[in-house]
């Protein structure tokens, strides 16, 4: 009878949703159809249950094809990868033709279909097949219930399922609104105020000013000033750098703080920044500053959320977030000025730090402790590697940067003093240090010393076009036109796009 099949549909659905924790995607009481979802073993399962009498094999095929199209059109269900599609028919009689092979005709490798046809004779067998697929204990649905009891129970079952669907939606919304973004706004204010202060007392684009106020400066760190790893998180190099980082912090910070709450967000942000700063110390000899490491740590926190709530992640931010992460990393690899060590390190550190604090209401002490130990081991290893392996190179490069800045500001005596000290142990930066010192000598009128330095630079780095150009100018000043023309030609050959090099050579020919 019709009432028996309808009751069986809603009783079976009730058990899957209430007892087995399936998520309700859609309920249509009028059509007698329900769509459910469950994530199990890193795979998405979508279950369509319908109360329908199907008489012919072709009719069954058409209905399955329609269901498959509905699934395919819902792109979000595919974002987590492979989808296992289960279709459950509840009917009084089976089709009059052989129908068992229909599911194979429609299935694809990425989205296979499993068919369960629960007619009155095979309900118990097909139900066991369904529950065995999910490794679930079977409910006692097949027990005898009178028609009057069925009619009385149907409104209750439907109401409870609708209520459960509403509760599941509220629960999902509560995940995204757990905390208030108070710390995000505080960090925005702190970063802006520090930037304004640096601009007031100096210049945020000045290497010297940045070092003075706590930028990541490897030589100072190796002399014991490890606090720079933390302070550099709150300094920014110019207004564009500040704007880009604060823009990212506003959007990522509010999302992460709402997901994790204020205190978890604070720990994730700070630990990510420290991890990214130490990664930068290990990989990048440049003077560096900015909140990028901590901000990339927020990417790591959202990726951890994706591990914990795979389907919810891919339905909301999933591929968009992954695309942004890949785009940022790719852009960083193409632009040499970007500190990729801090970015990638911050993201990795953010993921591990999030694993240590976990999501609200999903605490796991043993996993949290393991994540914290991994964090400490990795950050310690990076600090040791940076200290031991990059001591000479980091010192030389940082002093190249510093003396370039000093030359621009006219502090030539200080350039000569710093480069002379650095050249006692220059590593691979001897040519660059000598070139900066030669410029200082030129500006002071010490032409003999400048010429000696430039000749040594060319010996060390024959393809440094700027050294040939400066030598050409120097020889022109000394009246040695032939030598000047030779070096001008060499500079123009090395860098033909530089208009000054070409013009000097044409004037000396």
């Amino acid at each position: 009878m019709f009432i028996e099949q309808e009751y069986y549909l809603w009783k079976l659905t009730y058990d899957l949703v209430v007892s087995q924790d399936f998520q309700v995607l859609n309920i249509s009481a009028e059509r007698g159809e329900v769509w459910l979802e469950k994530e199990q073993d890193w795979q998405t399962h979508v279950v369509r249950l319908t109360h329908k009498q199907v008489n012919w094999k072709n009719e069954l095929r058409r209905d399955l094809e329609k269901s498959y199209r509905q699934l395919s059109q819902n792109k979000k269900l595919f974002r987590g990868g492979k989808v296992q599609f289960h279709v459950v028919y509840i009917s009084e009689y089976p089709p009059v033709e052989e129908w068992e092979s229909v599911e194979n005709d429609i299935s694809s490798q990425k989205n296979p279909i499993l068919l369960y046809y629960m007619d009155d004779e095979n309900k118990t067998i097909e139900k066991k097949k369904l529950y065995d697929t999910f490794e679930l204990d079977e409910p006692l649905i097949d027990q005898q219930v009178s028609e009057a009891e069925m009619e009385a129970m149907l409104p209750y079952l439907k109401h409870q399922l609708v209520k459960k669907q509403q509760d599941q939606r509220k629960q999902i919304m509560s995940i995204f609104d757990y905390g208030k973004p108070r710390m995000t706004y505080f960090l925005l204010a702190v970063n802006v105020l520090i930037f304004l202060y640096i601009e007031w007392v100096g210049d945020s684009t000045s290497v010297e000013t940045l070092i003075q106020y706590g930028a990541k400066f490897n030589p100072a760190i190796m002399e014991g000033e490890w606090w720079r790893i933390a302070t550099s998180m709150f300094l920014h190099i110019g207004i564009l750098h500040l704007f880009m980082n604060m823009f990212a912090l506003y959007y990522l910070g509010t999302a992460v703080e709402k997901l994790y709450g204020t205190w978890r967000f604070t720990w994730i942000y700070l630990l990510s920044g420290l991890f990214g700063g130490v990664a930068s110390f290990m990989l990048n000899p440049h003077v560096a500053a900015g909140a990028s490491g901590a901000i990339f740590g927020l990417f790591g926190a959202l990726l951890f959320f994706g591990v914990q709530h795979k389907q919810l992640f891919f339905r909301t931010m999933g591929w968009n977030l992954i695309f942004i992460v890949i785009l940022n990393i790719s852009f960083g690899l193409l632009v040499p000025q970007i500190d990729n060590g801090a970015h990638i390190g911050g993201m990795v550190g953010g993921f591990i730090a999030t694993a240590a604090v976990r999501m609200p209401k999903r605490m796991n002490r043993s996993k949290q402790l393991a994540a914290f130990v991994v964090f400490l081991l990795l950050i310690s290893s990076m600090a040791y590697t940076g200290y031991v392996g990059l001591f000479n190179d980091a010192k030389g490069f940082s002093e190249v940067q510093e003396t370039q800045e000093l030359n621009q500001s006219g502090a030539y005596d200080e350039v000569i003093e710093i480069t002379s000290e650095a050249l006692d142990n220059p590593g691979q930066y001897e040519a660059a240090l000598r070139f900066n010192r030669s410029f200082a000598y030129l500006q002071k009128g010490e032409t003999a010393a400048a010429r000696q330095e430039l000749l040594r630079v060319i010996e060390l780095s024959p393809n440094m076009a700027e050294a040939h150009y400066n030598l050409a100018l120097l020889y022109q000043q000394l009246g040695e036109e032939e030598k000047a023309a030779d070096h001008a030609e060499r500079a123009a050959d090395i860098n033909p796009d530089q208009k000054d090099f070409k013009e000097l050579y044409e004037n000396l020919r």
Side-chain angles (χ1 to χ4, degrees):
M1 298 177 64
F2 180 87
I3 188 68
E4 293 179 3
Q5 285 79 45
E6 185 180 12
Y7 173 78
Y8 198 89
L9 166 70
W10 295 106
K11 186 68 176 177
L12 178 63
T13 304
Y14 180 87
D15 180 72
L16 292 173
V17 172
V18 176
S19 303
Q20 311 298 349
D21 202 31
F22 279 66
Q23 300 292 309
V24 179
L25 294 176
N26 184 54
I27 294 178
S28 176
E30 297 80 10
R31 296 198 308 270
E33 183 172 302
V34 184
W35 288 67
L36 306 178
E37 177 193 22
K38 187 176 182 65
E39 184 182 334
Q40 181 172 300
D41 299 328
W42 290 89
Q43 186 177 15
T44 302
H45 295 266
V46 176
V47 183
R48 177 201 175 210
L49 301 102
T50 182
H51 166 216
K52 177 180 290 190
Q53 178 62 52
V54 181
N55 297 314
W56 304 98
K57 180 178 179 179
N58 285 339
E59 183 184 353
L60 179 63
R61 178 184 285 108
R62 286 195 299 270
D63 192 70
L64 282 173
E65 288 173 345
K66 180 181 177 182
S67 300
Y68 193 78
R69 284 195 300 271
Q70 286 180 263
L71 181 70
S72 301
Q73 288 166 1
N74 193 340
K75 301 295 185 182
K76 292 180 180 180
L77 291 175
F78 290 91
R79 292 188 171 183
K82 183 178 179 181
V83 177
Q84 176 70 70
F85 190 27
H86 307 258
V87 182
V88 180
Y89 289 95
I90 299 171
S91 178
E92 186 174 2
Y93 302 107
V96 296
E97 299 176 292
E98 292 293 330
W99 53 269
E100 286 79 1
S101 63
V102 172
E103 58 186 320
N104 298 325
D105 299 338
I106 301 170
S107 297
S108 72
Q109 186 175 1
K110 184 176 181 180
N111 303 110
I113 295 178
L114 292 179
L115 178 61
Y116 312 83
Y117 202 98
M118 298 185 183
D119 58 80
D120 286 352
E121 290 186 6
N122 294 303
K123 278 189 174 69
T124 302
I125 295 173
E126 292 292 292
K127 178 178 62 120
K128 182 177 185 339
K129 175 181 161 186
L130 174 66
Y131 276 71
D132 286 349
T133 300
F134 293 98
E135 301 177 353
L136 304 174
D137 295 328
E138 294 183 65
L140 299 175
I141 300 175
D142 301 322
Q143 58 190 354
Q144 293 297 320
V145 180
S146 69
E147 185 175 334
E149 289 175 318
M150 291 180 189
E151 290 181 348
M153 283 289 292
L154 276 173
Y156 170 79
L157 292 173
K158 294 177 183 179
H159 174 75
Q160 289 299 308
L161 285 168
V162 171
K163 184 177 182 299
K164 184 67 174 178
Q165 183 184 25
Q166 293 171 345
D167 291 342
Q168 288 174 348
R169 288 176 179 173
K170 288 178 182 178
Q171 184 180 6
I172 289 171
M173 293 303 297
S174 69
I175 291 174
F176 289 99
D177 202 23
Y178 177 79
K180 303 292 183 184
R182 300 184 184 92
M183 182 55 67
T184 299
Y185 297 141
F186 176 76
L187 288 169
L188 286 167
V190 168
N191 278 281
V192 171
L193 289 173
I194 290 175
F195 178 81
L196 293 175
Y197 175 76
I198 296 297
E199 285 291 325
W200 183 44
V201 299
D203 179 3
S204 65
T205 61
S206 165
V207 173
E208 195 172 7
T209 302
L210 290 170
I211 292 172
Q212 180 183 354
Y213 285 94
K216 191 220 73 172
F217 181 51
N218 286 7
I221 292 173
M222 288 185 283
E223 291 173 5
E225 296 181 5
W226 289 94
W227 48 266
R228 289 179 177 273
I229 298 294
T231 56
S232 62
M233 295 164 53
F234 299 95
L235 301 176
H236 288 86
I237 307 170
I239 186 67
L240 180 61
H241 187 211
L242 175 75
F243 174 78
M244 295 299 293
N245 274 354
M246 294 306 98
F247 182 80
L249 175 58
Y250 174 77
Y251 283 101
L252 289 172
T254 52
V256 172
E257 194 167 358
K258 284 181 178 180
L259 278 172
Y260 290 93
T262 296
W263 78 264
R264 287 183 179 85
F265 166 80
T266 304
W267 277 109
I268 292 167
Y269 185 88
L270 294 176
L271 291 176
S272 301
L274 294 175
F275 200 95
V278 174
S280 176
F281 168 71
M282 178 181 72
L283 298 171
N284 176 25
H286 297 68
V287 173
S292 301
I295 290 169
F296 266 75
L298 303 182
F299 280 124
L302 293 175
L303 292 173
F304 183 84
F305 164 75
V307 172
Q308 298 292 298
H309 296 277
K310 180 185 174 188
Q311 283 306 307
L312 189 56
F313 173 76
F314 280 105
R315 285 183 182 174
T316 52
M317 65 189 78
W319 287 116
N320 292 332
L321 179 70
I322 292 171
F323 173 75
I324 292 170
V325 170
I326 294 173
L327 182 65
N328 275 275
I329 293 174
S330 301
F331 184 71
L333 293 173
L334 293 172
V335 180
Q337 291 85 359
I338 291 179
D339 191 349
N340 290 299
H343 289 186
I344 298 173
M347 185 165 60
V348 172
F351 187 92
I352 301 171
T354 309
V357 300
R358 307 289 289 185
M359 292 198 66
K361 303 176 184 178
R362 294 178 73 102
M363 307 295 282
N364 187 316
R365 298 298 181 189
S366 59
K367 290 183 179 179
Q368 288 176 262
L369 180 60
F372 187 67
V373 170
V374 169
F375 184 93
L376 290 178
L377 288 174
L378 287 177
I379 199 170
S380 301
S381 299
M382 289 191 301
Y384 178 78
T385 302
Y387 186 87
V388 173
L390 301 176
F391 182 81
N392 292 332
D393 288 347
K395 184 176 178 62
F397 190 88
S398 297
E399 286 166 341
V400 168
Q401 279 193 309
E402 185 181 7
T403 52
Q404 284 174 344
E405 179 75 17
L406 291 171
N407 269 333
Q408 292 175 7
S409 63
Y412 306 121
D413 289 331
E414 194 171 349
V415 170
I416 294 169
E417 180 182 349
I418 292 172
T419 52
S420 297
E421 182 180 345
L423 284 167
D424 290 337
N425 190 10
Q428 61 179 309
Y429 298 105
E430 181 180 353
L433 289 166
R434 289 187 180 277
F435 179 79
N436 289 349
R437 189 164 69 173
S438 73
F439 184 86
Y441 280 140
L442 277 172
Q443 299 305 312
K444 286 172 60 67
E446 299 180 23
T447 55
R451 179 172 58 179
Q452 183 179 352
E453 291 289 354
L454 287 170
L455 289 172
R456 177 59 177 159
V457 170
I458 290 172
E459 184 181 333
L460 293 167
S461 183
N463 292 323
M464 185 184 287
E466 293 81 1
H468 286 285
Y469 177 74
N470 284 359
L471 259 178
L473 292 173
L474 181 58
Y475 280 126
Q476 184 184 36
Q477 181 182 343
L478 296 173
E480 300 183 36
E481 298 290 333
E482 187 176 344
K483 290 183 179 180
D486 289 342
H487 286 287
E489 182 181 12
R490 182 68 177 138
D493 288 342
I494 295 170
N495 192 350
D497 295 328
Q498 177 56 258
K499 189 184 348 181
D500 291 342
F501 296 174
K502 189 174 182 180
E503 287 180 354
L504 178 62
Y505 172 61
E506 289 175 350
N507 291 333
L508 290 169
R509 272 196 312 184

